[in-house]
Amino acid sequence: MGVVVGIALVWFIIEMLLWYLIAQFISGWLVFIWFIVAAVIGIGLIKKTVGTLNPMAQQMKNGTIPNPANQPPENVITKSIATGLAGVLFLLPGLLTDVGALLILLPAIQKILTNKAKNYAMNNQEKMMAMMAKQMGGTGMFGNMGANVNPNNPFGQGNPFGQGGFGGFGQRTVIDGQSKIKQKSANDD
């Protein structure tokens, strides 16, 4: 967390120096007006993004899996996400963030960022699945899928049917509505 705060402080100091230098060459009022205009542009871009992505978000929030046939094409979704990110950068007061927002709006940069995101997703599927399971309320039926995954076991680390395969169901007891696994002792055999 300290690293993030340090980077934010350095970024803020650089932005302040740029504001000061540019205000020396042109009027400080023009810099201030630019920040207001950039914020209005940012709000407009964010509203446009929300209008495009909100139907999908509502479907996911309701617990239904979005039907790909009813969704916009992938390039529209990636363009919307890039537009939203550019809107957020425009909202942040600063000249470097505005330049970054303008760069993100370029189609070539969007294509590069999309390819990098796809490569990251393909290389880190396990981490992303564990993160999604955590976001959805815990580990669920499949236990800790992200840890010590056996490539020959389609269920990840453990067996979702209990310790003894399908026979594991008989080893569970329910007390007060909670399932408890009965521990085997030396006297049980």
Side-chain angles (χ1 to χ4, degrees):
M1 184 69 176
V3 174
V4 173
V5 172
I7 290 172
L9 271 168
V10 170
W11 185 270
F12 180 72
I13 291 169
I14 291 170
E15 288 282 10
M16 291 292 288
L17 288 172
L18 277 174
W19 296 349
Y20 177 76
L21 290 174
I22 291 177
Q24 294 298 314
F25 291 108
I26 62 173
S27 171
W29 286 105
L30 290 176
V31 173
F32 178 73
I33 290 171
W34 169 248
F35 291 154
I36 300 297
V37 168
V40 170
I41 292 170
I43 290 170
L45 292 175
I46 291 172
K47 283 184 179 180
K48 181 179 178 184
T49 299
V50 169
T52 304
L53 299 179
N54 198 29
M56 288 189 307
Q58 288 298 324
Q59 286 179 352
M60 288 184 200
K61 188 176 179 181
N62 292 337
T64 59
I65 298 173
N67 184 354
N70 297 336
Q71 303 306 321
E74 180 183 338
N75 62 345
V76 172
I77 294 172
T78 55
K79 186 167 182 64
S80 293
I81 291 171
T83 302
L85 183 59
V88 170
L89 289 175
F90 272 129
L91 272 177
L92 296 174
L95 300 171
L96 290 177
T97 55
D98 294 344
V99 169
L102 289 173
L103 288 175
I104 288 176
L105 290 174
L106 296 174
I109 301 293
Q110 289 177 7
K111 189 171 189 171
I112 291 170
L113 292 176
T114 300
N115 289 337
K116 287 193 181 278
K118 283 181 183 178
N119 289 339
Y120 179 81
M122 292 302 289
N123 294 333
N124 297 300
Q125 286 180 357
E126 223 171 82
K127 273 199 274 186
M128 292 177 70
M129 290 297 288
M131 181 179 68
M132 286 174 26
K134 185 178 178 184
Q135 290 285 331
M136 295 167 92
T139 57
M141 180 175 98
F142 294 103
N144 295 325
M145 283 186 68
N148 300 325
V149 175
N150 178 356
N152 297 326
N153 184 354
F155 299 113
Q157 176 186 4
N159 187 343
F161 302 111
Q163 293 175 337
F166 288 105
F169 285 125
Q171 298 171 357
R172 294 183 184 265
T173 58
V174 177
I175 301 172
D176 295 329
Q178 292 187 352
S179 175
K180 307 273 183 181
I181 297 177
K182 180 180 175 187
Q183 299 293 327
K184 285 188 176 188
S185 64
N187 299 334
D188 287 346
D189 291 327

